[in-house]
Amino acid sequence: MNRRPFMTLFAPEELKAVLGSGLLSFPVTHARDDLSFDEDAYRDHVSRQAAAGPSGVFAAGGTGEFFALTPEEVDRVVRAAVASVPGDTPVIAPAGYGTAQAVAMARAAEAAGAHGVFLLPPYLTEAPQEGLIAHVRAVCAATDLGVVVYHRANAAFGFDAVQELADECPNFVGFKDGIGDVDLMTRIHARFGDRLLSIGGLPTAETYALPYLEMGVTTYSSAIFNFLPDFALDFYAAVRARDAAAVYRKLNDFVLPYLDIRNRRAGYAVSIVKAGLAVTGRPAGPVRPPLTDLTAAELGELAALVEKVTRA
């Protein structure tokens, strides 16, 4: 596969524009029964995901079980993703844990040919705003790639912190909301406009996509895209068209019953995605501990939901 040089194709400003133009793919990370990385199956999956037309592929993100992978495995997953997508589809690589590790992962992402960095929350510890600013600043300084920051859990940014980072770090291009902070997202959109790409990042982001669009959130991470790409893309198109009737019909037909299963156990936001691939005939293997897979009964419930929307 011939690829154009990634640095000339996706400078941070261009990356921001491309990611904001469509739906985002967050592929699962395939595992064998012994929990080792199944690279061949992963490459095939990412290739099919890219062919469906997302605006970006986020390798080894939350849905991709970043928290359960070693740094060496993350590098393998990122390189596999880069090798599996066409040259006009950006691959965003993860960085996380402590600041030193996040800096190392950002540099590794650039060396692997990724087109951007997705900065996940620091591991375990709470942090003051000054510490979060220093953390993001260090990662942005370590790479020329565009950086998307994940606002979630212990990485809860206030407006002043976002403003300081936007002023100081030109390659800080995206802010993904995993908290549901309507006030903050409204302030960011009002203050920054197109300076920052706002991304919907709550689990099963389809649930919130229509109201978030009014806050300038033009894209979101779709885990459902892993196993129902046509449904996910149709849903996204309805959101962007502000077709409320279609959005709420799809919510009632699939998304809300899907959430009923997802909410039964902690960690099922990832487990149910791998289950979705299993019931659609493209298994991705088990989730890694500390997550657990769906029960056989829950798998049957999900299969019935999938059949309902695929035969419609």
Side-chain angles (χ1 to χ4, degrees), residues 67-81:
F67 46 83
L69 302 172
T70 67
E72 292 76 19
E73 287 174 318
V74 168
D75 188 62
R76 282 188 64 197
V77 171
V78 170
R79 289 177 181 274

Side-chain angles (χ1 to χ4, degrees), residues 204 206-207 220 224 228-239 243-259 305 308-309 312:
T204 314
E206 281 83 359
T207 316
Y220 53 86
I224 292 172
L228 288 177
D230 291 341
F231 176 88
L233 289 168
D234 287 347
F235 192 104
Y236 177 74
V239 169
D243 186 347
V247 169
Y248 282 103
R249 183 175 64 251
K250 292 175 184 297
L251 285 171
N252 281 306
D253 286 348
F254 182 79
V255 178
L256 297 180
Y258 172 88
L259 295 184
L305 273 177
K308 177 183 175 182
V309 295

Side-chain angles (χ1 to χ4, degrees), residues 6-7 79 93 105-117 142-145:
F6 70 94
M7 285 300 292
R79 289 177 181 274
M105 295 181 90
R107 290 172 175 157
E110 191 165 346
H115 309 89
V117 173
T143 179
D144 291 326
L145 301 179

Side-chain angles (χ1 to χ4, degrees), residues 206-221:
E206 281 83 359
T207 316
Y208 315 92
L210 189 59
Y212 262 46
L213 185 62
E214 299 304 322
M215 294 181 284
V217 182
T218 63
T219 187
Y220 53 86
S221 56

